[in-house]
């Protein structure tokens, strides 16, 4: 099983998903992320899906679960780098990402996290 | 062929290598990176190899080539996230990364790039 590496930059964790995620990898990623959020006291998690060509309900649910989980640990999640085709497919299939915040790219994701944090006391 | 996504944060490009790179992917990555450096006017490139379990002479040469190429385009390259086992193997095999700068993790890589830039006029 391949593990998705988690990068840390300040109090933001960055995860770039490039491999095809199976059940095991998803569970491992969720655990690793929760551990990393606690260990580093991260305030934000950015998940980059630039390399993901197909977002089905499985991936959508995973993203929503990660966001809820990190939310419990007081970290905001932003999904960045969604391909236009993925956005189209999601809407056509009637899938949602469970209210997960999105941003165009990593830079805008970091800016969004800064904005969210400055808005909450 | 899978392409490795290139993330941009400020004037630094971040590449996280997670897939097994074949010749084609390496060539594509080198081209994409050179294009991205020029397009975004990037001053630094950080290559994360946390997920890379084996660095052989092929990967070593790739990293050195990317560093030289980015150097020509006035961008410094830093390799981050090397596993201890990889460092041991590199030394045991007598391989070098062709003078490529390394840092422990993404954060220290960004700090190193800042330092390099403040040192050069």
């Amino acid at each position: 099983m391949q593990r998705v590496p988690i990068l840390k930059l300040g109090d933001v964790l960055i995860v770039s998903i490039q491999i095809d995620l199976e059940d095991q990898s998803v569970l491992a990623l969720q655990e690793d992320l929760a551990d990393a959020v606690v260990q580093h006291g991260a305030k934000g998690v950015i998940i980059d899906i630039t390399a993901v060509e197909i977002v089905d309900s499985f991936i959508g649910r995973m993203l929503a679960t990660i966001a809820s989980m990190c939310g419990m640990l007081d970290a905001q999640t932003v999904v960045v780098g969604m391909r236009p085709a993925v956005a189209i497919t999601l809407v056509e299939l009637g899938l949602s990402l469970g209210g997960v915040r999105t941003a165009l790219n990593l830079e805008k994701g970091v800016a969004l996290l800064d904005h969210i944090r400055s808005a909450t006391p």
Side-chain angles (χ1 to χ4, degrees), chain A residues 22 30 34 53 62 64 67 82-83 90 99 102 104 108 111 118 120:
Chain A
E22 323 137 26
Q30 289 172 347
E53 285 175 20
M62 175 196 79
M82 189 184 290
R83 295 177 179 221
L90 279 177
T102 53
L104 200 58
K108 292 195 204 296
S118 64
T120 48

Side-chain angles (χ1 to χ4, degrees), chain A residues 1 13 16 28 65 82 86:
Chain A
M1 185 194 63
L13 301 177
S16 172
T65 307
M82 189 184 290
V86 168

